[in-house]
Amino acid sequence: MSGIVWLALDGVGHPQDAPDGSVWDQPLGTLRPLVDAGRCLDATLGVPGLPQSGTGQACWLTGRDTVRVMGEHFGPHPGPTLQRLLQAEALPVRLAQAGGRVALGNEYMPAYFHALESGAGRRNRMGCFPFAFRAAGVPLNPPGVPLLGATLGLPYARPWAGVGEEGAALDALARHGAALARAATEVDLLALDLWFGDLLGHAGTPDVPGDALAAGRSYLRRVDALLSGLLGAGARVVVSSDHGNLEDLRTKGHTLARVPFAGAGVDLGQPGNVVQAGQVLSGWFGLPAPLPGA
């Protein structure tokens, strides 16, 4: 199978586990039906503590229970142990080794590359997705791909201006989705690391800040528009998330919520957790699942 676009949400728990009045409680004409028709997955893997992006994303990317490997939920960035696993077993790495074509559609600014270079020899500050795609031997900001910022046009930090005047932004994102669908015909896997949902989720407080709720709802509307453009152009699409956070803005931290696994033009199978779903992903490309206990 080829031409799959992977929208990898970060920190967006399933609507079934969201409280009333959450970011999910709004019209999302493309995203919500897709999520409702998909799977609702466990992200805790039976390990105490709150799921984290490092191990959560590594589970998706490798199909291995990286929480058990680490002995705990770990993140946000992969340390040496997870880096070794990603270098050896991440989906883009294995696909590239098998002769497949992979690309990460995120747009990275010069400051990002400067921070990576200036941090040489220190703790890794790169997330699992850019780390895995670089380990596959492909560049960030790949040529020929319509690159997209993970904020989807929202400001990175407060004030999240423009939430009430987003019509033009939604139209632009739908067109961008169509452009990504066309680019995906040239590769086997085109991923987008949509990490901004987790950042917005960390703005939560017990009284649910109104600006964070408005921004979170706007962000999901933007994901909805992007998805609409992708599907309207005939793309095969998968939507995932690594852990809960944004769906419950009553708390600043991550949550124990289950996470979505949804798709169009793909067979989701019957996974119950994020590890099994990662194995489903690799199976689409004919790659074997990890050996038990390896």
Side-chain angles (χ1 to χ4, degrees):
M1 187 180 295
S2 63
I4 292 177
V5 180
W6 183 3
L7 302 184
L9 302 177
D10 189 335
V12 183
H14 198 281
Q16 288 186 18
D17 289 352
D20 292 340
S22 79
V23 293
W24 285 108
D25 285 344
Q26 61 172 323
L28 297 165
T30 304
L31 178 62
R32 186 60 189 267
L34 194 75
V35 167
D36 287 345
R39 309 289 178 261
C40 188
L41 303 181
D42 171 58
T44 68
L45 302 172
V47 176
L50 296 174
Q52 301 294 324
S53 295
T55 42
Q57 292 173 13
C59 286
W60 280 103
L61 283 160
T62 66
R64 186 180 296 283
D65 188 343
T66 60
V67 179
R68 297 284 177 184
V69 171
M70 294 296 297
E72 62 179 345
H73 298 286
F74 179 86
H77 307 107
T81 299
L82 291 181
Q83 289 176 41
R84 287 192 293 270
L85 279 173
L86 292 169
Q87 288 168 336
E89 301 183 32
L91 177 56
V93 172
R94 297 171 71 203
L95 257 179
Q97 290 173 344
R101 300 157 298 170
V102 300
L104 184 62
N106 287 63
E107 181 178 20
Y108 294 94
M109 297 293 103
Y112 180 84
F113 294 102
H114 176 73
L116 293 181
E117 293 167 3
S118 64
R122 303 182 213 166
R123 180 179 175 183
N124 170 60
R125 306 305 297 177
M126 193 183 303
C128 285
F129 277 87
F131 186 91
F133 277 83
R134 291 229 307 195
V138 297
L140 302 185
N141 290 350
V145 175
L147 303 176
L148 184 63
T151 71
L152 304 185
L154 283 168
Y156 177 78
R158 284 184 166 106
W160 293 296
V163 170
E165 301 175 359
E166 63 184 12
L170 298 183
D171 290 342
L173 283 163
R175 292 193 300 272
H176 202 111
L180 284 167
R182 292 189 291 271
T185 63
E186 302 297 323
V187 298
D188 296 289
L189 175 66
L190 173 58
L192 288 165
D193 178 19
L194 298 180
W195 48 260
F196 193 57
D198 189 51
L199 188 147
L200 290 173
H202 284 302
T205 61
D207 60 352
V208 183
D211 63 339
L213 180 61
R217 286 179 171 168
S218 179
Y219 189 69
L220 288 193
R221 288 194 294 271
R222 291 162 190 251
V223 173
D224 183 73
L226 179 68
L227 180 62
S228 177
L230 283 161
L231 297 183
R236 291 190 181 100
V237 179
V238 57
V239 178
S240 70
S241 183
D242 51 0
H243 57 77
N245 187 352
L246 181 62
E247 84 291 342
D248 189 352
L249 285 168
R250 300 172 301 182
T251 177
K252 182 180 179 67
H254 295 178
T255 71
L256 299 174
R258 294 168 295 172
V259 296
F261 178 41
V266 295
D267 182 359
L268 297 176
Q270 296 297 326
N273 60 47
V274 294
V275 174
Q276 295 165 355
Q279 295 169 4
V280 169
L281 263 65
S282 65
W284 292 340
F285 302 97
L287 299 174
L291 294 174

